[in-house]
Amino acid sequence: MRRKRIAVPFLAASAVASLVPALAPAATATAAENPLARFQEQKPSWKRCGKDMPATLRCATIKVPLDYGRPGGKTLDLAISRVKTSTGKERRGVLLTNPGGPGGTGVEMPTFLASELPKSVTAKYDLIGFDPRGVGRSSPVSCGLKTSERNWERPYKAATFAKDVKWAKTVAEKCDAKQGDKLRHISTRNTARDMDVIRAVLGEKKISYLGYSYGTYLGAVYTQMFPKRADRFVLDSSVDPDRVWRGMIQVWAEGAEPAFANWTKWTAKRHSEYKLGKTPEAVGKTFWGLVAQADRKPIDDGSGVPMNGDDIRMYMRGMVFNVEWAANTVKDLKKAAAGKKTTPAPTRSGTPERTPAPPAFGSTAAKMKVPSDNQDASFWAVVCGDTRAWPTDPEQYRRDAIKDKKKYPLYGDFASNIKPCAFWKKQGSEPATVIDNKVGALLLQNEWDSQTPLVSGRGLRKHLKGSKMVTVAGGIGHGIYGSKSCADKTATAYLTTGKLPAKDITCKAKPPAEGGRSGTSPLPIPTPRGVPGMVSRF
């Protein structure tokens, strides 16, 4: 997840600074009846987001409580954005959006979706984006992490485990020292509450919603907390509530194994092109032989960044879901290992570290305003604080990493190795949400999704009993709606008519064009490093 990536720009600081409205004073009686009235009755001051952004994208900043249990206490800024429908006659309401994360920014999401979604959808909804609390322009959190401290994909090795434990403890301590009690309130449940404040501020009785990746869990939590205010919800590339959050990292290892097996079969059938083996077993032997060779002497694939065996495993974990990309990558790696000149994959060229570069912002001022470790800090705040299920004994992580490397050799030890959550001092202000409702929703899921594998999508489907699921057989990548997938038609029909399919359905993905490294997702959603065209985590 720490190779070259595309980041969604933030608002220009100069533009946003002028958008914070004063909270309207609430009458004492109103406050007593509804302690959130002063937040829900805000009148946003919509203005252009920045000179380098489309004039149709309007932005504002509203206030939300830091602690919803104490709405009269401290507040946070919440940056919101809007692209209004051009046809008021057909307008149904608002379509709130979230690109994923935790830690993904969403203020520019409406602009992207306005160009990618069918006109039949954009005619019915104002597209609404927002930076979740603690992220981007919404009172961003920071832990003051160094670049080296932001690398959290760590393979298990007995010789380096003590160093990994020290790293995890250092990150947790830095976050606590920098943010203190604020971290307890950077949670999915509170972000769902913020969504409901946005609903009220926009004057809507209900909201429709399009959430990708982590945004599926956020949307599911909203349906649980505010079932009567959820209109048409599309949840794309789903998080399994039963796996929040350590299990959602571990499922990357679990999901990679069938993807690896699928890749070896596909590649073996094309031995004449790739020369990696005539059988799946032979292809696997070639790959693991390269891993072993790189452990003895790192292999430079032409990027100037030699890879050891662990680097190859980590890189291939996300890559293997796209069989053509994986085959081309291993083919080039084999050449490099033999001393032949190769052209490195675009995600490795010029990227000498695993840690992602800070997000690309809209202006120099914005770069200065948003901490460079904001995505990491907000990620850990949610992942560690949302649930109280993280083990606190380092030896548990050691045992799990050893066990899971044997069970899931491609990535098992990475996934189960120790994380900062083992030492997190400020648990979330409340337990994780139990998802179990009959609210209508449409789930979209690719068969070969590296971040939220098919098993994860099925997990959410089980909890949302009123939902229906569209599985894209052969579908590659993280994020579906807006990518011209076979599932788009069903999602569009649901958003425009409100009718869900009578039952779960499966459609077949179009085969990718042969002869090129195709199949990358154009969607601005968090996805793994090492996978072309993608951004970051869940």
Side-chain angles (χ1 to χ4, degrees), residues 237-238 443-447 449 452-454 457 469-472 480:
S237 307
S238 298
L443 278 58
L444 309 179
Q445 184 68 44
N446 271 331
E447 181 180 8
D449 181 334
T452 53
L454 182 57
M469 180 170 165
V470 181
T471 301
V472 182
I480 298 174

Side-chain angles (χ1 to χ4, degrees), residues 150-292:
R150 296 167 59 197
N151 169 30
W152 61 276
E153 285 188 286
R154 294 166 179 257
Y156 171 78
K157 293 184 181 300
T160 59
F161 184 66
K163 183 178 179 182
D164 292 339
V165 171
K166 182 179 180 180
W167 159 78
K169 188 174 183 181
T170 298
V171 171
E173 289 176 345
K174 278 194 166 186
C175 290
D176 183 66
K178 190 83 171 178
Q179 297 296 331
D181 195 59
K182 180 179 178 180
L183 287 179
R184 297 175 60 241
H185 305 290
I186 307 300
S187 67
T188 300
R189 284 181 64 85
N190 280 334
T191 301
R193 292 183 176 107
D194 293 344
M195 287 168 55
D196 202 58
V197 170
I198 294 173
R199 174 201 60 77
V201 166
L202 296 176
E204 302 290 335
K205 292 182 179 180
K206 292 185 175 185
I207 57 169
S208 291
Y209 178 79
L210 172 58
Y212 296 90
S213 195
Y214 163 72
T216 64
Y217 180 64
L218 174 59
V221 169
Y222 186 90
T223 67
Q224 190 67 36
M225 296 177 68
F226 305 100
K228 294 182 179 180
R229 297 172 190 166
D231 193 11
R232 300 170 183 176
F233 271 49
V234 176
L235 307 179
D236 187 324
S237 307
S238 298
V239 168
D240 183 352
D242 287 339
R243 298 174 185 259
V244 171
W245 279 112
R246 190 185 185 210
M248 278 307 301
I249 296 175
Q250 291 173 320
V251 81
W252 296 347
E254 179 184 340
E257 294 304 314
F260 184 85
N262 180 61
W263 169 70
T264 61
K265 292 177 183 177
W266 185 92
T267 305
K269 293 178 181 178
R270 294 160 178 80
H271 176 70
S272 61
E273 179 179 355
Y274 297 107
K275 303 292 193 298
L276 296 177
K278 294 181 179 180
T279 66
E281 293 76 16
V283 173
K285 184 176 180 181
T286 297
F287 173 79
W288 289 111
L290 289 169
V291 170

Side-chain angles (χ1 to χ4, degrees), residues 25-211:
T28 304
T30 303
E33 296 169 2
N34 178 12
L36 296 179
R38 71 185 185 114
F39 300 101
Q40 295 172 340
E41 295 171 4
Q42 295 174 82
K43 303 299 181 185
S45 176
W46 296 103
K47 296 184 180 180
R48 186 169 180 174
C49 299
K51 293 180 180 179
D52 56 343
M53 299 182 191
T56 54
L57 182 68
R58 313 299 285 184
C59 292
T61 301
I62 61 174
K63 296 285 188 180
V64 292
L66 170 64
D67 181 355
Y68 276 88
R70 299 177 59 196
K74 295 180 180 179
T75 63
L76 299 174
D77 291 341
L78 200 70
I80 60 176
S81 61
R82 178 176 69 182
V83 171
K84 295 187 72 173
T85 176
S86 59
T87 58
K89 183 179 179 181
E90 297 180 43
R91 184 184 184 277
R92 176 179 177 80
V94 297
L95 182 67
L96 199 64
T97 62
N98 180 272
T105 65
V107 290
E108 286 199 12
M109 195 74 174
T111 297
F112 175 85
L113 292 175
S115 64
E116 296 298 323
L117 297 185
K119 291 183 179 179
S120 58
V121 173
T122 58
K124 283 190 172 293
Y125 299 96
D126 294 342
L127 303 179
I128 307 298
F130 70 106
D131 282 353
R133 58 171 51 209
V135 176
R137 310 309 303 174
S138 295
S139 298
V141 293
S142 170
C143 298
L145 300 179
K146 300 176 184 177
T147 298
S148 60
E149 292 168 336
R150 296 167 59 197
N151 169 30
W152 61 276
E153 285 188 286
R154 294 166 179 257
Y156 171 78
K157 293 184 181 300
T160 59
F161 184 66
K163 183 178 179 182
D164 292 339
V165 171
K166 182 179 180 180
W167 159 78
K169 188 174 183 181
T170 298
V171 171
E173 289 176 345
K174 278 194 166 186
C175 290
D176 183 66
K178 190 83 171 178
Q179 297 296 331
D181 195 59
K182 180 179 178 180
L183 287 179
R184 297 175 60 241
H185 305 290
I186 307 300
S187 67
T188 300
R189 284 181 64 85
N190 280 334
T191 301
R193 292 183 176 107
D194 293 344
M195 287 168 55
D196 202 58
V197 170
I198 294 173
R199 174 201 60 77
V201 166
L202 296 176
E204 302 290 335
K205 292 182 179 180
K206 292 185 175 185
I207 57 169
S208 291
Y209 178 79
L210 172 58

Side-chain angles (χ1 to χ4, degrees), residues 184-518:
R184 297 175 60 241
H185 305 290
I186 307 300
S187 67
T188 300
R189 284 181 64 85
N190 280 334
T191 301
R193 292 183 176 107
D194 293 344
M195 287 168 55
D196 202 58
V197 170
I198 294 173
R199 174 201 60 77
V201 166
L202 296 176
E204 302 290 335
K205 292 182 179 180
K206 292 185 175 185
I207 57 169
S208 291
Y209 178 79
L210 172 58
Y212 296 90
S213 195
Y214 163 72
T216 64
Y217 180 64
L218 174 59
V221 169
Y222 186 90
T223 67
Q224 190 67 36
M225 296 177 68
F226 305 100
K228 294 182 179 180
R229 297 172 190 166
D231 193 11
R232 300 170 183 176
F233 271 49
V234 176
L235 307 179
D236 187 324
S237 307
S238 298
V239 168
D240 183 352
D242 287 339
R243 298 174 185 259
V244 171
W245 279 112
R246 190 185 185 210
M248 278 307 301
I249 296 175
Q250 291 173 320
V251 81
W252 296 347
E254 179 184 340
E257 294 304 314
F260 184 85
N262 180 61
W263 169 70
T264 61
K265 292 177 183 177
W266 185 92
T267 305
K269 293 178 181 178
R270 294 160 178 80
H271 176 70
S272 61
E273 179 179 355
Y274 297 107
K275 303 292 193 298
L276 296 177
K278 294 181 179 180
T279 66
E281 293 76 16
V283 173
K285 184 176 180 181
T286 297
F287 173 79
W288 289 111
L290 289 169
V291 170
Q293 180 178 340
D295 275 335
R296 294 190 296 271
K297 181 181 179 181
I299 301 171
D300 186 348
D301 64 354
S303 66
V305 188
M307 291 192 293
N308 61 27
D310 293 329
D311 293 328
I312 293 172
R313 288 192 299 124
M314 179 191 69
Y315 185 56
M316 282 294 290
R317 197 282 305 174
M319 182 69 72
V320 78
F321 285 80
N322 186 317
V323 290
E324 191 172 359
W325 270 97
N328 275 304
T329 298
V330 177
K331 177 183 177 181
D332 289 348
L333 197 62
K334 183 181 176 183
K335 287 181 180 179
K340 299 178 181 178
K341 188 175 182 180
T342 64
T343 301
T347 50
R348 280 197 35 82
S349 180
T351 54
E353 56 179 335
R354 296 176 182 169
T355 304
F361 304 121
S363 70
T364 302
K367 288 181 182 179
M368 296 171 61
K369 195 170 183 66
V370 180
S372 63
D373 71 333
N374 174 240
Q375 192 175 46
D376 297 82
S378 54
F379 176 78
W380 291 124
V382 172
V383 168
C384 298
D386 256 5
T387 173
R388 298 168 185 179
W390 286 91
T392 56
D393 180 6
E395 289 304 311
Q396 179 68 54
Y397 292 89
R398 184 200 297 270
R399 291 191 295 269
D400 290 347
I402 293 171
K403 176 190 68 176
D404 287 346
K405 185 175 184 180
K406 292 180 180 178
K407 191 174 183 180
Y408 310 119
L410 197 62
Y411 196 75
D413 55 323
F414 283 93
S416 292
N417 202 359
I418 196 160
K419 305 292 186 292
C421 304
F423 302 101
W424 211 249
K425 294 185 178 181
K426 297 291 192 304
Q427 287 187 329
S429 55
E430 51 197 326
T433 306
V434 176
I435 308 295
D436 183 15
N437 64 62
K438 296 181 180 180
V439 175
L442 182 66
L443 278 58
L444 309 179
Q445 184 68 44
N446 271 331
E447 181 180 8
W448 301 114
D449 181 334
S450 62
Q451 294 307 93
T452 53
L454 182 57
V455 65
S456 179
R458 288 172 174 166
L460 181 59
R461 171 66 181 89
K462 179 181 67 176
H463 287 274
L464 293 178
K465 297 177 173 61
S467 69
K468 294 296 184 289
M469 180 170 165
V470 181
T471 301
V472 182
I476 298 170
H478 189 50
I480 298 174
Y481 193 42
S483 66
K484 309 302 184 289
S485 162
C486 62
D488 281 22
K489 183 178 180 180
T490 304
T492 296
Y494 172 56
L495 287 173
T496 54
T497 69
K499 294 181 180 179
L500 286 167
K503 58 182 180 180
D504 292 346
I505 60 178
T506 298
C507 65
K508 193 172 183 179
K510 294 179 181 179
E514 292 283 348
R517 299 184 177 188
S518 58

